[in-house]
């Protein structure tokens, strides 16, 4: 029987390099320790420990570097092949008229 998590979620990247300890936190709060070659899934949050860093190869984009003691959500803005650093930074607050 296949693992339901594997069959429902598609990998969007993988760990390319790592120094120290890094973890992937799922939406339900489960933390898994990462190693080079591990798959990364949309919706996870990458968390690095003190003195640690990780480089994630996003399949449709550029590599993502996560510095020590940082957390980065792997969402549509990160995995978009046309990633724009300003996308999502400004939201429409409605009409000013």
């Amino acid at each position: 029987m296949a693992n339901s998590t594997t069959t429902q979620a598609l990998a969007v990247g993988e760990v390319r390099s790592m120094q120290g300890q890094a973890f992937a936190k799922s939406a339900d709060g489960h933390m898994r320790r990462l190693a080079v070659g591990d798959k990364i899934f949309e919706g996870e949050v990458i968390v690095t420990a003190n003195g640690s860093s990780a480089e994630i190869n996003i399949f449709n984009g550029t590599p993502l570097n996560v510095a020590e003691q940082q957390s980065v959500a792997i969402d549509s803005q990160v995995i978009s092949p046309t990633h724009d650093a300003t996308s999502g930074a400004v939201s429409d607050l409605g009409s000013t008229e």
Side-chain angles (χ1 to χ4, degrees):
M1 176 179 237
N3 181 332
S4 62
T5 302
T6 304
T7 58
Q8 293 178 0
L10 294 176
V12 296
E14 73 178 20
V15 179
R16 182 174 176 179
S17 65
M18 196 171 66
Q19 181 175 32
Q21 295 182 4
F23 302 86
K25 183 178 178 183
S26 64
D28 66 2
H30 176 76
M31 298 276 281
R32 65 183 171 100
R33 185 182 300 238
L34 295 174
V36 173
D38 282 354
K39 302 296 184 211
I40 302 299
F41 300 92
E42 184 173 6
E44 290 185 314
V45 176
I46 306 304
V47 181
T48 54
N50 186 29
S52 301
S53 63
E55 182 178 354
I56 310 299
N57 181 29
I58 301 297
F59 296 145
N60 289 337
T62 58
L64 173 67
N65 293 303
V66 185
E68 72 173 310
Q69 293 185 312
Q70 297 293 311
S71 61
V72 177
I74 306 300
D75 59 17
S76 60
Q77 291 180 6
V78 171
I79 62 176
S80 172
T82 57
H83 177 69
D84 176 357
T86 62
S87 70
V90 178
S91 60
D92 183 11
L93 298 177
S95 175
T96 58
E97 295 180 29

